[in-house]
Amino acid sequence: MNRKIRTALLTSGAALSLVLATATPEAIAKDGGGLAGIDAAATAQALAQKPLHDLAASIDEQGRKTAFSDTYSNIYVDQTRDQVIVYTTDPKHGTAIAAAAKTAHAGVDTSKVKYVSAKYTKKQIDASLDKIMGANKPAKGAKPEIYSAAEAPDGSGIQIQAAPSAVDHVKALLAGNDIPVTVTAGQAQATLDTWRWNDNAPFIGGDVLIGQSHKAGYTANCTAGLAAEDNAGNDYLITADHCFATSSSTSVYGEGDAVGSWGYSHGNFIGIVTADNPGWDAQTIATSGASGSGTNSDEADTPNGQWYAVPSDAYSYNGEQVCQDGAVSYYNGHGVPCGIKVINQDIRWAVTWNDGTNATIRGVEGQSSGYVATEGDSGALVFTVTGSNTRQARGIVSGGFDANTLLWTEAPDILNAFGLHLNPHT
């Protein structure tokens, strides 16, 4: 596969520093060059996490089914103790969930499951969250009072972050809620839309995207995330829905200017925005290629020119750690940020796009004491390491509440919403 070798140039402006990159179209980058892009500790952690993730996924799959939804609450991957904690309103019934998971997935080790009592089921809390966020819809241009709402990890209630000026009002408003609510002052989601370099087909996760913003007269710059395909073999990229105007006439390009130039001129044509889903903060970009000629399911990594195959996708669970391949983070010298720990595996948050549109998004919140992301990483692939040259897609970057949090929407939900699957070509 021909893939451009990327080189970075740091330029400083009055407001902030941004990174641009050029590429040599004829250069060839080889797959399987080891894990030079992610440090050894992060790699070891990711690989050690996989058996526990498989166990958590198999139990969560059963817990969401009708037979167990009246007792299943939440799940936590405790890698330190090499166990998966299952929160259930009936711990005795929890063993039945694990048995069903073992029947469906014989390879999982259910001896590593610990059962903990929870007060409310996921089904009860989901219904309450939908009601709360459904009422949190201000008029276009107005700001929401509730920034986010999520299940408490132990199933004891609901955790809400609200605008500091609205905390007391939200507390009063939800005083009679059917499930206990904790309200604290929070921060609104900051979207991470800006730009990187000028790739050519087949496009992959981590590529720079530039096109018409939702706000008239503005250009948006984001990162490509999932590479997908429909049943007819047509190739798509998926990025964040807040990035580009959702019109069939919106074309998306690479950045076409010389390295270090901020001209926002169009580079290589990538595709056209064809569909969007605000609830998953995702939009599809149809390329002109098919059967792998338009996109490949890979993620851009380090060193320069390296990429890794992304043959699978999955949900993330509390306690797990992920990485993200945002373009600007990479070229700002942060490589591929990893060690982002899931603290809320199912959270709703409110966001106001740059044209004043308000949306409620459902996804995951991660946190790290180190670097997480920056503007320009929106839409980037969120993933885990599954082998020396493979990754597993977990979702796409949506934004964050502050410098140490990352919000993303989940790959299975996004693909299902659009009726697509990961591109089998890598």
Side-chain angles (χ1 to χ4, degrees):
M1 175 197 298
N2 287 329
R3 179 71 59 200
K4 299 193 278 277
I5 289 181
R6 305 164 219 166
T7 59
L9 172 69
L10 180 65
T11 62
S12 296
L16 72 166
S17 296
L18 298 173
V19 175
L20 297 148
T22 54
T24 305
E26 299 305 317
I28 297 176
K30 307 256 185 216
D31 274 331
L35 293 174
I38 297 175
D39 65 52
T43 297
Q45 186 281 327
L47 295 177
Q49 177 178 280
K50 187 177 185 305
L52 291 179
H53 168 78
D54 292 344
L55 175 59
S58 66
I59 291 174
D60 185 62
E61 175 186 67
Q62 297 300 320
R64 293 171 185 261
K65 292 183 176 180
T66 303
F68 302 105
S69 63
D70 288 337
T71 58
Y72 178 68
S73 179
N74 215 340
I75 201 160
Y76 181 86
V77 176
D78 187 349
Q79 190 169 334
T80 302
R81 295 178 175 81
D82 193 31
Q83 65 184 8
V84 170
I85 300 172
V86 177
Y87 294 93
T88 171
T89 57
D90 182 0
K92 292 181 180 179
H93 198 215
T95 57
I97 300 177
K102 183 72 173 178
T103 299
H105 304 278
V108 300
D109 184 0
T110 54
S111 69
K112 295 185 176 183
V113 177
K114 177 183 178 181
Y115 305 98
V116 175
S117 182
K119 190 166 184 180
Y120 299 97
T121 67
K122 180 172 181 59
K123 183 169 70 173
Q124 290 173 315
I125 291 177
D126 278 349
S128 187
L129 286 169
D130 287 341
K131 182 176 66 175
I132 290 169
M133 294 306 286
N136 185 49
K137 292 183 177 179
K140 185 172 181 177
K143 302 295 184 181
E145 289 189 322
I146 297 175
Y147 290 153
S148 69
E151 177 181 1
D154 61 359
S156 61
I158 290 173
Q159 298 173 336
I160 285 179
Q161 289 193 353
S165 62
V167 168
D168 290 340
H169 181 246
V170 172
K171 284 181 178 179
L173 193 66
L174 298 176
N177 195 58
D178 53 345
I179 291 176
V181 172
T182 300
V183 183
T184 58
Q187 292 179 287
Q189 181 204 355
T191 57
L192 304 173
D193 44 343
T194 188
W195 58 293
R196 189 159 67 171
W197 84 100
N198 186 27
D199 200 4
N200 57 6
F203 305 105
I204 65 174
D207 280 356
V208 177
L209 308 175
I210 182 169
Q212 170 62 49
S213 170
H214 287 274
K215 187 173 182 178
Y218 285 74
T219 297
N221 308 273
C222 289
T223 303
L226 298 165
E229 189 177 78
D230 64 20
N231 290 334
N234 299 305
D235 291 348
Y236 298 83
L237 280 178
I238 299 177
T239 191
D241 196 22
H242 67 260
C243 289
F244 305 116
T246 50
S247 165
S248 59
S249 62
T250 300
S251 295
V252 179
Y253 303 86
E255 165 55 50
D257 293 291
V259 175
S261 171
W262 294 79
Y264 294 94
S265 63
H266 293 163
N268 295 327
F269 175 73
I270 293 175
I272 295 174
V273 175
T274 53
D276 79 305
N277 190 300
W280 301 124
D281 194 12
Q283 62 182 204
T284 58
I285 301 168
T287 70
S288 56
S291 302
S293 66
T295 66
N296 282 180
S297 188
D298 301 311
E299 69 91 11
D301 214 294
T302 56
N304 288 342
Q306 182 68 64
W307 72 91
Y308 295 104
V310 185
S312 65
D313 63 275
Y315 290 109
S316 294
Y317 300 103
N318 290 333
E320 292 192 311
Q321 294 186 27
V322 300
C323 308
Q324 68 92 7
D325 70 353
V328 175
S329 285
Y330 178 87
Y331 283 107
N332 268 340
H334 294 287
V336 179
C338 288
I340 303 166
K341 187 175 182 178
V342 178
I343 61 171
N344 271 314
Q345 69 191 43
D346 190 357
I347 182 173
R348 282 93 161 153
W349 64 90
V351 61
T352 302
W353 293 352
N354 62 6
D355 67 343
T357 297
N358 288 294
T360 298
I361 302 169
R362 183 175 181 177
V364 181
E365 180 183 7
Q367 192 174 71
S368 173
S369 59
Y371 182 88
V372 172
T374 191
E375 291 185 354
D377 292 350
S378 281
L381 186 71
V382 177
F383 65 92
T384 57
V385 176
T386 51
S388 63
N389 58 5
T390 58
R391 308 288 192 251
Q392 182 177 72
R394 293 298 179 84
I396 62 173
V397 171
S398 178
F401 295 126
D402 55 40
N404 298 112
T405 63
L406 187 74
L407 297 168
W408 68 93
T409 53
E410 300 199 88
D413 293 327
I414 294 166
L415 293 168
N416 288 338
F418 291 125
L420 301 174
H421 51 263
L422 282 182
N423 197 315
H425 303 279
T426 60

